Amino acid sequence: MAITGNGSLTIYLSVFVISAAFLLKGAAETLSVEGQNLGTDNVSVIEGEMATISCRVKNNDDSVIQLLNPNRQTIYFRDVRPLKDSRFQLVNFSDNELRVSLSNVSLSDEGRYVCQLYTDPPQEAYADITVLVPPGIPIMDSREDVVSEGNETELTCTAMVSKPAASIRWMKGEQELTGEMTVDETYDRMFTVTSRLRLTVSKEDDGEPVSCIIDHPAVKDLRAQRYLEVLYQPEVKIVQAFPEGLTREGENLELTCIAKGKPQPHQISWLRVDDDVPSHTVITGSDLFIENLNKSYNGTYRCVASNTVGDAYDDYILFVHDSRAGEGAPQKIDHAVIGGVVAVVMFAILCALIVLGRYFARHKGTYFTHEAKGADDAADADTAIINAEGGHNNTEEKKEYYI
């Protein structure tokens, strides 16, 4: 069969047109698929609760949406559920969304779910369901219930079977402490976590709360608590009950020994350092009494208290003064009283000055003496003096003449 040149050209043109048509159709379909955005979200859910999976489509062109389980079995095709698991329920179906709920979630439901959009080629989006298993109430224990001050104790806290593994923090009062943590994987990807805290205690720790706090995404404020019980040796203090001031010859002395510890001291004793206590000293439990002091009693008196933890003591140094010691000592000056008296006196003086000033101001004027009478009419100084000296006589004369 012979084909002319014009026939060959016609065939080539036909193939080109068909190819171009297919390319344009593929490009249009590609643009249509790319314009439809399929999306979903990962889900974390606590075991026994409900999970919701949402398959969302943007710019849907009536393409079919379906949801598949991790085994690629169809859960929902549009709004129809082929899978015979009634825990899956349709929440919403529209052109733009297929939303499905899964109740009473168990560990076997964990995995990757597939949102599928029937386009050419099909689109898929993946939602991973993570099942959280909260730990049980933590178990807290200690190596010993009671510990003596200065010794080390160990506390343990265990968070049983959780998913994922929990973390454990320690608090002593308001202070955060660090423990040593171990994680053991058990069945079905479950974890048991144990934390150990080693602590050297002091008497200030007695009664202090120690807490282990569990941190886990499936639970909040989960903790266990114990109170430390610390034994410590006594604290001893001697108080002079009588006399209140100096100890003088001939007076009496009474001392009281105050001792506290845990447990309470079972024995309190008195002694005199480097010597014997005076023969007539009376000791009654924690009290020491000496009458009729004299200087031979000078020395250091010690109170010793004991409990199961240890011994402790306090010293009192006795120095007996002369019988009249301290009597000639100047009395204390009350500066506040003196200041008050001075202020009153100064105020009285100020008031007196004000009254006198007002009095003199009201009686201010010009006063003339009788000795100067006649001086104003004198022709010269000598005559004025003569007239002044004889002023009284002239007056008498005037009086006689007038009468």
Side-chain angles (χ1 to χ4, degrees):
M1 180 177 174
I3 299 176
T4 63
N6 290 335
S8 299
L9 179 61
T10 301
I11 292 174
Y12 289 140
L13 288 175
S14 300
V15 172
F16 175 79
V17 170
I18 293 170
S19 301
F22 275 109
L23 289 173
L24 289 174
K25 181 181 178 182
E29 289 179 350
T30 302
L31 289 173
S32 175
V33 171
E34 290 178 352
Q36 301 176 75
N37 296 321
L38 180 63
T40 187
D41 298 307
N42 294 330
V43 179
S44 293
V45 59
I46 298 174
E47 184 181 28
E49 296 187 359
M50 179 181 290
T52 301
I53 304 172
S54 174
C55 301
R56 299 179 302 276
V57 183
K58 183 179 179 182
N59 303 324
N60 193 3
D61 61 350
D62 296 330
S63 298
V64 176
I65 310 173
Q66 70 172 349
L67 176 64
L68 310 177
N69 67 11
N71 296 322
R72 304 292 294 191
Q73 297 172 323
T74 301
I75 301 172
Y76 267 92
F77 182 85
R78 299 176 63 89
D79 57 350
V80 178
R81 190 187 74 218
L83 193 66
K84 295 179 181 180
D85 189 342
S86 60
R87 296 181 304 142
F88 290 98
Q89 293 294 321
L90 183 65
V91 178
N92 181 53
F93 173 72
S94 66
D95 291 339
N96 297 318
E97 184 185 38
L98 172 61
R99 191 189 316 163
V100 177
S101 66
L102 171 60
S103 60
N104 194 21
V105 176
S106 66
L107 283 173
S108 61
D109 296 320
E110 193 172 63
R112 172 165 290 187
Y113 290 73
V114 182
C115 293
Q116 194 173 74
L117 183 65
Y118 272 93
T119 58
D120 188 13
Q123 294 186 61
E124 291 185 351
Y126 306 101
D128 292 325
I129 288 185
T130 302
V131 180
L132 308 176
V133 180
I137 297 174
I139 301 172
M140 189 173 179
D141 200 4
S142 62
R143 189 169 58 195
E144 54 270 311
D145 294 330
V146 180
V147 59
S148 298
E149 64 173 332
N151 292 340
E152 184 183 77
T153 187
E154 181 179 284
L155 295 92
T156 60
C157 182
T158 304
M160 301 292 293
V161 290
S162 67
K163 180 178 176 297
S167 62
I168 299 177
R169 295 182 291 120
W170 291 93
M171 296 290 293
K172 186 186 76 171
E174 300 298 324
Q175 179 185 5
E176 185 165 355
L177 304 175
T178 302
E180 181 181 340
M181 194 163 57
T182 58
V183 180
D184 296 321
E185 185 173 357
T186 59
Y187 64 93
D188 203 9
R189 294 170 295 167
M190 303 288 282
F191 300 90
T192 294
V193 181
T194 302
S195 180
R196 289 176 173 82
L197 176 68
R198 291 180 177 87
L199 183 65
T200 301
V201 299
S202 64
K203 63 183 178 182
E204 288 78 13
D205 293 324
D206 183 46
E208 191 78 5
V210 177
S211 305
C212 71
I213 304 169
I214 308 301
D215 292 327
H216 192 273
V219 68
K220 293 182 179 179
D221 197 27
L222 186 61
R223 66 177 63 199
Q225 187 177 77
R226 291 176 68 97
Y227 289 89
L228 293 174
E229 187 171 355
V230 181
L231 304 180
Y232 53 91
Q233 66 182 19
E235 297 175 319
V236 185
K237 182 179 180 181
I238 297 176
V239 177
Q240 179 179 313
F242 184 85
E244 294 183 357
L246 298 176
T247 50
R248 302 181 181 89
E249 286 185 301
E251 293 184 346
N252 300 331
L253 173 66
E254 183 178 352
L255 302 177
T256 298
C257 181
I258 301 174
K260 295 180 181 180
K262 189 171 182 178
Q264 277 295 110
H266 61 270
Q267 181 179 357
I268 296 178
S269 58
W270 286 91
L271 58 91
R272 184 180 178 186
V273 179
D274 298 331
D275 206 344
D276 296 330
V277 296
S279 58
H280 60 283
T281 300
V282 178
I283 298 176
T284 307
S286 60
D287 296 329
L288 179 145
F289 180 79
I290 305 176
E291 63 178 358
N292 194 20
L293 292 173
N294 63 64
K295 294 187 177 182
S296 65
Y297 299 161
N298 289 345
T300 301
Y301 292 78
R302 176 172 294 174
C303 172
V304 182
S306 305
N307 65 7
T308 57
V309 180
D311 303 333
Y313 65 87
D314 189 27
D315 288 339
Y316 172 83
I317 298 176
L318 173 62
F319 182 82
V320 180
H321 297 266
D322 294 333
S323 59
R324 300 182 60 85
E327 293 182 0
Q331 297 182 349
K332 293 183 179 179
I333 299 175
D334 194 334
H335 297 284
V337 174
I338 295 176
V341 172
V342 171
V344 171
V345 172
M346 294 300 295
F347 180 74
I349 294 173
L350 181 62
C351 292
L353 291 175
I354 294 173
V355 171
L356 290 174
R358 290 177 62 85
Y359 175 80
F360 285 122
R362 294 183 62 182
H363 293 78
K364 184 178 180 181
T366 304
Y367 299 90
F368 298 96
T369 61
H370 292 289
E371 287 78 2
K373 289 181 178 180
D376 292 338
D377 298 331
D380 52 29
D382 294 334
T383 306
I385 294 172
I386 294 172
N387 290 340
E389 291 176 351
H392 293 286
N393 295 331
N394 293 337
T395 302
E396 295 295 331
E397 290 174 358
K398 287 180 182 180
K399 287 181 179 179
E400 292 174 359
Y401 179 76
Y402 175 78
I403 291 172

